[in-house]
Amino acid sequence: MTTPGSTYSAADVLGEAWQAALGTPPAGPDADFFASGGDSLLAIRMLSRLRQARVVSTTADILRGRTFGGILSRLEARGAEVAAAPVEEAGAGAVPLLPTQRRWIANGFAEPDHFSLGWIFDVPERTPDGRIVDTGAVEAAVLALVRRHEALRTRYLLDGDGAPRAEVLPGVPDGVFAVVDVPGDELSGQAVSGHAVSGDELSKDSVSDVLRAGWRGHRLAEGRVLAARWLPAQRLLQLALHHLTLDGFSVELLADDLEALLTGAEPVAEPGTPRGQAQAVSTWLASAEAEQDAKAWAGQNWQEVARVPAELAGLGLLPSMDLVSAELDARETAAAQRLATEAGLTFESLVLAAAATAIMRRFGLPAVSVDTYHHGRDRLPGGPDITSGIGYFQANYPVVVTGGPGDWLERAAAGFDRVPKNRFGFDALRFAGHPALTDLPGSGIRLNFRSRMSEINARTSDWLPPSQTSAGGRRSPRQTEPYLLMLEADQVGERFAFAIKYSRDHFTSQTVEHLVRSTLALLAGTAVVRDGVDA
């Protein structure tokens, strides 16, 4: 990670940011970011790394520059311009909920305190410059992290009188950091810092049990949305992060900040906050553009949308969830990416269209809607730069795909033309009570297009690595999934990986295996035919 005061050139900094996003360095000045597998999520990752190096950059630099040389020219044209912190209202007190937080709360999850994202890190004994990293240093870094990001010290009052609400606390909540002594792999029953580990937590006797208990350490009403456990004998640091306060992309950014705080580097200039984004969303909702977008969202082919019929009757609790996955090889993946470019679609949109088509064909549906995750980092006019912000900025928006005779890809492309470019706007309008969007049908399908997030989360080029130690239990077993079929897409090396998560209470494995195979066949088969190779 480049630090302020280094002698790195703009080309060095951009090269590091490029590799952090795409996993490989640029092949040369003519290397095209999008042809190399880039997309909007990876563009945001590259911009975040540039911000960490204090280089001013925008999405326009990537969209218009495209190649390594083109982006570099735009950055160099600014000279030594440095990123400035946004001017926002600060201080403790009530803050608005973001649209995606309202969606999460509306799901009515059982045991809402128990819903974690997070990390388990192997913490090196020394920093890159040779300083010892002891318990005091780890605790200081974690507490500094919470002080830096108001999202990590916000409490949520979900019950009681009135609507759910949030409040930023003036300081670090109690119980955020705990040291648990587990000599070897045996829990000694000693907790020596931060907060007293309760008796039920000490009743287990392994590292895995301690970590599993850590995922249950949140207290939303008290503002303990980050719960850290430090196991000094194993040099393991667990950060349990409640999903209501941040999204998956924020988890990676938080790891970057923690590494900077542990190694003495200067973290990125104060990033935009959830409260700043909420204010910008509120302003946007009063604009003419918002009303135009509401009409566009309502103008999709909702009258044909049908719900995916479950094959089996059951509760669908979390323990009943299963996963079917498969991959395209490197040649098929490259061909599919070229097909998306030729069709004027993002790779994410192509995957969505193929999966929706496979589902419609299997169940004989005229049309389906797919709730799609978006990174939510698009900057609003007058809003803060949240490229490196920590918060639940992720947006959800529906795409309606229709079936019928003819070319499935052409139908899908026509459907995407009806989707507004402001992907955050659907939930913003819906939870603001816009009458056109309050009672739309849903098919029970979600798409989480993760891009290369598995490679980014591997942190192979960083000092602070994720641990191979794992522990389940990040969510309450009493919860149910709000979707029948959850589509997961990721890039692993040069291969595209696709999976469908489902409940055994609702579908047979044979049905889901068929859907996965059919989706990949559409991507590979159509792509190969259009790429001039025999299918």
Side-chain angles (χ1 to χ4, degrees), residues 251-504:
V251 171
E252 167 61 22
L253 301 176
L254 187 142
D256 291 341
D257 268 12
L258 180 64
E259 176 173 318
L261 290 165
L262 282 168
T263 60
E266 187 177 352
V268 66
E270 194 66 32
T273 64
R275 99 170 68 196
Q277 182 71 351
Q279 292 166 351
V281 169
S282 179
T283 299
W284 179 83
L285 283 169
S287 69
E289 184 180 58
E291 186 59 33
Q292 292 171 357
D293 281 7
K295 293 178 181 177
W297 289 117
Q300 297 191 74
N301 293 327
W302 293 104
Q303 67 278 5
E304 299 183 51
V305 169
R307 187 168 179 81
V308 176
E311 297 175 311
L312 306 169
L315 295 176
L317 295 176
L318 201 60
S320 73
M321 302 308 294
D322 211 338
L323 188 78
V324 173
S325 62
E327 293 183 345
L328 294 180
D329 63 28
R331 181 182 67 90
E332 292 168 331
T333 299
Q337 289 172 332
R338 286 194 294 273
L339 171 63
T341 301
E342 292 166 4
L345 297 173
T346 64
F347 191 36
E348 175 183 7
S349 297
L350 181 70
V351 172
L352 187 154
T357 299
I359 292 168
M360 285 186 291
R361 290 177 177 176
R362 171 63 180 81
F363 294 102
L365 303 176
V368 295
S369 65
V370 181
D371 275 8
T372 308
Y373 281 0
H374 181 64
H375 55 70
R377 256 78 180 169
D378 296 337
R379 188 167 186 176
L380 298 177
D385 181 356
I386 54 172
T387 300
S388 300
I390 303 296
Y392 200 173
F393 300 120
Q394 189 176 59
N396 294 268
Y397 64 94
V399 177
V400 175
V401 181
T402 58
D407 186 90
W408 66 275
L409 189 52
E410 291 178 2
R411 288 197 309 275
F416 283 111
D417 286 342
R418 300 188 184 98
V419 177
K421 65 180 178 63
N422 296 312
R423 306 304 167 91
F424 74 91
F426 179 81
D427 272 350
L429 289 158
R430 175 192 171 194
F431 289 105
H434 196 287
L437 305 181
T438 54
D439 194 27
L440 295 174
S443 297
I445 309 169
R446 182 204 73 183
L447 171 65
N448 184 9
F449 188 87
R450 290 168 43 83
S451 194
R452 291 180 181 265
M453 284 301 292
S454 63
E455 294 179 9
I456 291 173
N457 286 340
R459 300 184 59 79
T460 53
S461 62
D462 298 284
W463 172 81
L464 185 64
S467 177
Q468 296 301 310
T469 302
S470 62
R474 297 192 181 207
R475 291 175 55 184
S476 167
R478 294 179 53 216
Q479 289 179 9
T480 57
E481 291 286 359
Y483 295 97
L484 289 166
L485 296 170
M486 286 153 288
L487 319 178
E488 306 279 346
D490 203 352
Q491 185 92 3
V492 181
E494 300 307 312
R495 293 171 173 264
F496 169 70
F498 180 71
I500 297 181
K501 187 178 180 183
Y502 69 102
S503 170
R504 294 184 300 274

Side-chain angles (χ1 to χ4, degrees), residues 100-293:
T100 309
Q101 291 178 312
R102 294 186 182 278
R103 173 185 280 260
W104 191 94
I105 293 169
N107 284 323
F109 290 113
E111 298 183 344
D113 275 336
H114 186 187
F115 201 130
S116 280
L117 304 175
W119 288 101
I120 300 173
F121 294 109
D122 286 322
V123 181
E125 294 184 357
R126 294 181 179 272
T127 64
D129 62 2
R131 289 180 293 108
I132 294 175
V133 181
D134 57 14
T135 295
V138 174
E139 180 174 12
V142 170
L143 299 185
L145 191 69
V146 177
R147 285 191 291 268
R148 265 183 56 78
H149 296 288
E150 63 179 42
L152 302 181
R153 47 186 172 83
T154 299
R155 71 172 184 153
Y156 298 90
L157 305 171
L158 306 184
D159 301 319
D161 298 334
R165 62 191 190 276
E167 298 176 359
V168 173
L169 300 177
V172 178
D174 292 338
V176 164
F177 187 84
V179 178
V180 182
D181 183 18
V182 190
D185 198 26
E186 296 297 323
L187 185 59
S188 69
Q190 302 292 320
V192 296
S193 180
H195 78 288
V197 179
S198 63
D200 63 313
E201 293 172 327
L202 290 173
S203 65
K204 304 298 183 181
D205 60 2
S206 72
V207 167
S208 293
D209 291 320
V210 170
L211 297 175
R212 273 194 293 272
W215 300 128
R216 302 194 302 271
H218 302 300
R219 301 292 182 270
L220 289 173
E222 300 171 13
R224 194 196 303 166
V225 293
L226 182 150
R229 287 192 166 200
W230 169 236
L231 283 62
Q234 293 75 25
R235 298 200 61 81
L236 292 176
L237 175 63
Q238 178 190 38
L239 290 187
L241 310 159
H242 198 286
H243 195 12
L244 183 56
T245 203
L246 81 175
D247 51 33
F249 190 77
S250 296
V251 171
E252 167 61 22
L253 301 176
L254 187 142
D256 291 341
D257 268 12
L258 180 64
E259 176 173 318
L261 290 165
L262 282 168
T263 60
E266 187 177 352
V268 66
E270 194 66 32
T273 64
R275 99 170 68 196
Q277 182 71 351
Q279 292 166 351
V281 169
S282 179
T283 299
W284 179 83
L285 283 169
S287 69
E289 184 180 58
E291 186 59 33
Q292 292 171 357
D293 281 7

